[in-house]
Amino acid sequence: MCSCNHEKSDLSLLDDVFKKYGNDSGNLITVLQKAQEIYGYLPIDVIYHIAANTNSTPAKVIGVATFYTQFRLKPVGKHLVMLCKGTACHVNGADGIEKAICEEFNIEDGGTTEDGLFSLKNVACLGCCSLSPVMMIDDVTYGSLTPEKAVEILHGLKKEAAE
Ligand code: FES
């Protein structure tokens, strides 16, 4: 394990994953997916642990984790806000929505709010263009947005979290 590693994850949570998928580096992507489900992202100590248990190297595991956009190397906020920047949403004002969210919550694409409540990620077409402009928060889709409506939705979630 890396001596410069400051993160301390409960690595025993991966025992069952290794039991099921073995120590074959051919299953690396599946193991990373399971690890991300468990930890919410891929902490560095988990990456070293996976490398050691899949006949791989940390460099290789990091290489795979950074190549595929589905993997996150940083923790995400409690709510993941995916703002569609596909063509239909772009034409219908996605940029204005992004600007409003960024200004109101002091956040930028790929970032997380200071309180850890929201992470913002611009994404390609979410597949519901007829509702554009669209954002998805966790697994809920919000359509026909305006900048005001988007900000209001996030404030609603913030209020809920505070209660
Ligand atoms: S472009 Fe946004 S849902 Fe298709």
Side-chain angles (χ1 to χ4, degrees):
M1 176 153 322
C2 174
S3 59
C4 59
N5 166 18
H6 299 300
E7 293 184 83
K8 291 239 179 307
S9 309
D10 181 357
L11 300 174
S12 68
L13 297 176
L14 283 170
D15 289 354
D16 285 347
V17 175
F18 294 131
K19 244 181 244 159
K20 187 157 180 202
Y21 298 100
N23 56 1
D24 177 1
S25 65
N27 286 333
L28 189 54
I29 291 178
T30 308
V31 170
L32 288 173
Q33 284 168 340
K34 296 289 164 198
Q36 185 161 280
E37 275 170 37
I38 293 170
Y39 301 100
Y41 72 110
L42 297 170
I44 193 71
D45 59 347
V46 167
I47 286 186
Y48 275 80
H49 188 61
I50 289 174
N53 284 276
T54 56
N55 278 324
S56 195
T57 62
K60 180 170 177 205
V61 178
I62 291 169
V64 171
T66 49
F67 181 77
Y68 292 98
T69 51
Q70 62 175 296
F71 295 122
R72 299 185 288 270
L73 295 172
K74 285 194 209 148
V76 287
K78 185 163 184 250
H79 298 293
L80 178 59
V81 181
M82 286 173 286
L83 183 63
C84 182
K85 300 300 284 284
T87 308
C89 289
H90 177 74
V91 168
N92 286 307
D95 285 351
I97 293 167
E98 182 183 10
K99 189 167 177 274
I101 291 176
C102 290
E103 283 176 7
E104 184 74 14
F105 295 93
N106 193 21
I107 189 175
E108 57 184 27
D109 178 31
T112 298
T113 50
E114 235 176 74
D115 59 5
L117 195 57
F118 299 114
S119 288
L120 179 65
K121 192 153 175 46
N122 290 338
V123 295
C125 179
L126 285 166
C128 41
C129 308
S130 61
L131 300 176
S132 68
V134 170
M135 71 177 170
M136 218 174 144
I137 303 182
D138 306 325
D139 52 4
V140 181
T141 307
Y142 300 87
S144 309
L145 292 173
T146 61
E148 296 74 26
K149 206 166 147 187
V151 165
E152 200 180 301
I153 290 165
L154 265 67
H155 271 304
L157 289 169
K158 192 171 174 168
K159 205 171 149 215
E160 243 172 54
E163 280 165 2

